Amino acid sequence: MRPPLTVRSTGVSRLVLAFALLSSQGTASAVDPVEDLVRLLQSRPELRDEQQRTAFQKKLTERVEAIQRLGDLRRALSLCEFPVEFDMQPPNTPEKRNPIDSIYRGVRTDLTNRLQALLRKRLRDADLTRRMAAIAFLVETAYEESGRRLDPVREMAPPSSFALSMTHDLQQLLTKKDEDPRVRAAALAAVATIDPGSDKTLHAVQILIQPECEVVERRAAAKALGRMIQSLSSSRGPQRGESQRIEDSLAAFVSAAGRGLRDKKDAVVRRLCLDSIRHALERHRGENISLRVIAKVNEEAPIVVALLEDDILEVRLSAYQVLEKTATIRRMQIVGAMLPTEAQPATKKGFPSAPGRRDERFSNAPPPPAAPVLDKILSAMPNLVHGLSDKEVRVRLAAIYVLESLGPEAAPAVEGVARTLKVDKNGFVRWGAARVFLNMAPLEPEKAVPALAEALSDANKTVRLTAAQALVRFGSQAKEAVKALSEAVGDEESNVRITALNALKAIGLPARPAIGVLVSALADKKSEVRAGAAKALAHLGPLDEKTRKELAKLLEDADAEVRLAASESLLDN
């Protein structure tokens, strides 16, 4: 017996087939032509000779010819799929399982040809609505086929794409310049959905994104770029030899998006193209990203920076997002270049420090790379500082995120960040400013430390905690913050108290005026605070007898970590 036909596993299709099969028990009058065809296919007759096969094939042909409506043809194709084992056979392989396999294949071919002919007629129809409807039909068919390809049962042998077979007809609407720009825009959206990776689709995008095209075409081209990049990003992983092709495609997409960034007439095009560049950078999440893609993004950086001053808020925010991702990748690439290799091992005390930092622990660190990647983003510093005072909180946050991602390279913006940390009314913005200082420490201490010291009394506990964490990284250069840190040791939040103690320990001898505060902290109800105070006292120079007695009391503390910290402090002091 021939294996049963595969039926699409959607609720609607199952209902349609079930109705067809149940209807076979009744009369054949006024029957749906699709149901009639399915019922005949499901009968799976035993054909013993050529005459029976010819008669059966004739019946199938009559059923196929009875299907006239476009929607019925599509439904019939959906219901008349063949099992995987038959689809996987090469075209010239002799049929061994059942002599009528070729008949069943012929039914699908006939249905496909009839549907193609009808759609081509609609794509050339004088009526605009019909042309647009035909294009929409193909897009939805492509989405359906894409979903079917993800079916794990058919993953090894995906069905041939009907929508893909119509891309040439859609391309003709673009190359022959259909008189209505809406049709051209819809056709481009369709080919970007059906065949996003082809050179022809990219060429169409490059043409329709030009400023002389209608706005509906330019928007369609910008949206198409996003779809094309997303199609690469959502792939399950390139096959061998495909990585280079994908990277070449991403680089070409970034160049095409660069044209859209210069669209002076339409903000939507500019925003969509900015989003496309960001998606291209996000494809590898910063890991092993193609240097060619990086180079293309670097070429477009000046126009991205210029768009930080765009009249439209959404465009400005998208430009900030591109720069944030660019800054993140730049920092990762620089840090990666400075990690030890066989030729450049790490020092005994750790890895080389970040660019721009002067740290005695890493005195043997190699210099930054001679040609830093994505270096044109640094020209955005004045714009970023200006953005810190923007009346729109989303812009201020976006500027903060870029500076935070730049790390030590945000040092030129220190005055603007300090002002933001002091006066901004939004807690999230102030917190972000504290994070900027945390990432750029220990640079610019004379400007950063006073602002951080003031932030230790901020109403927002997260701002206070981050400010204390930043002061830890400034080490002895944070001596101007000793008084503020001493007050922070009494903060209501234990995490702030602990971090303030760590900062005093990092400052060392200049923090001796805080000894009295540290002694009081030895009696804190939190064991972590008591341990932190004991550890800090070990770094503040010789202790008087009273302080040593208070430390000695902790040798009998209920917490083992406190006892250990007290013993180490007494021995090291």
Side-chain angles (χ1 to χ4, degrees), residues 21 67 80 109 283 286 296 329 458 566:
L21 295 174
I67 302 175
C80 297
T109 300
R283 184 181 187 277
K296 290 296 182 182
I329 294 177
D458 195 279

Side-chain angles (χ1 to χ4, degrees), residues 251 253 262 297 305 313 325 340 345 373 376 381 390 426 525:
F253 295 162
R262 294 163 174 80
V297 173
V305 172
L313 174 61
K325 189 62 184 178
V373 296
K376 292 185 179 180
M381 201 62 65
D390 195 281
N426 186 280
K525 61 182 180 179

Side-chain angles (χ1 to χ4, degrees), residues 268-545:
V268 174
V269 174
R270 299 195 296 273
R271 179 180 58 79
L272 289 172
C273 288
L274 284 167
D275 291 343
S276 293
I277 292 177
R278 176 169 55 85
H279 291 319
L281 288 172
E282 288 175 345
R283 184 181 187 277
H284 289 292
R285 297 174 176 85
E287 301 173 2
N288 302 320
I289 189 166
S290 164
L291 292 179
R292 185 175 178 187
V293 175
I294 286 179
K296 290 296 182 182
V297 173
N298 206 39
E299 289 177 10
E300 303 301 336
I303 185 63
V304 175
V305 172
L307 290 177
L308 294 178
E309 305 298 326
D310 197 273
D311 294 335
I312 305 301
L313 174 61
E314 287 73 16
V315 175
R316 299 204 303 274
L317 293 175
S318 293
Y320 276 111
Q321 289 175 340
V322 171
L323 292 182
E324 179 188 353
K325 189 62 184 178
T326 302
T328 300
I329 294 177
R330 172 177 166 79
R331 191 176 179 190
M332 292 176 65
Q333 294 287 324
I334 291 177
V335 171
M338 300 186 70
L339 287 175
T341 61
E342 293 181 2
Q344 175 62 47
T347 63
K348 292 183 178 180
K349 294 187 178 181
F351 294 116
S353 60
R357 290 182 58 177
R358 184 64 181 171
D359 194 323
E360 294 179 357
R361 294 176 302 166
F362 306 136
S363 57
N364 296 326
V373 296
L374 298 168
D375 57 300
K376 292 185 179 180
I377 186 181
L378 300 180
S379 66
M381 201 62 65
N383 306 75
L384 297 173
V385 174
H386 180 71
L388 293 176
S389 58
D390 195 281
K391 63 180 181 180
E392 171 60 51
V393 66
R394 287 179 291 173
V395 173
R396 302 201 302 275
L397 281 171
I400 283 290
Y401 295 155
V402 179
L403 291 169
E404 182 183 4
S405 299
L406 281 171
E409 291 185 314
V414 61
E415 292 183 357
V417 177
R419 183 175 58 254
T420 297
L421 181 57
K422 291 179 180 180
V423 305
D424 201 283
K425 296 181 180 180
N426 186 280
F428 287 104
V429 177
R430 298 196 305 277
W431 178 32
R435 294 198 309 271
V436 173
F437 283 138
L438 176 64
N439 286 349
M440 62 174 275
L443 300 179
E444 303 289 343
E446 66 282 356
K447 297 175 181 177
V449 169
L452 290 168
E454 186 174 335
L456 290 173
S457 59
D458 195 279
N460 188 309
K461 63 182 181 181
T462 310
V463 175
R464 301 198 303 272
L465 175 61
T466 307
Q469 291 170 337
L471 289 169
V472 172
R473 294 194 61 182
F474 277 95
S476 61
Q477 298 182 94
K479 59 185 178 181
E480 298 299 326
V482 169
K483 181 178 179 181
L485 287 168
S486 299
E487 295 175 357
V489 172
D491 196 280
E492 61 182 13
E493 293 291 329
S494 61
N495 286 339
V496 176
R497 300 200 298 274
I498 294 168
T499 309
L501 290 167
N502 290 336
L504 291 169
K505 180 179 72 173
I507 292 172
L509 289 176
R512 280 187 65 83
I515 287 180
V517 173
L518 298 183
V519 171
S520 298
L522 293 176
D524 196 279
K525 61 182 180 179
K526 285 282 187 178
S527 61
E528 295 90 341
V529 175
R530 299 197 301 274
K535 293 176 182 178
L537 284 169
H539 292 74
L540 303 189
L543 302 177
D544 58 27
E545 190 61 25

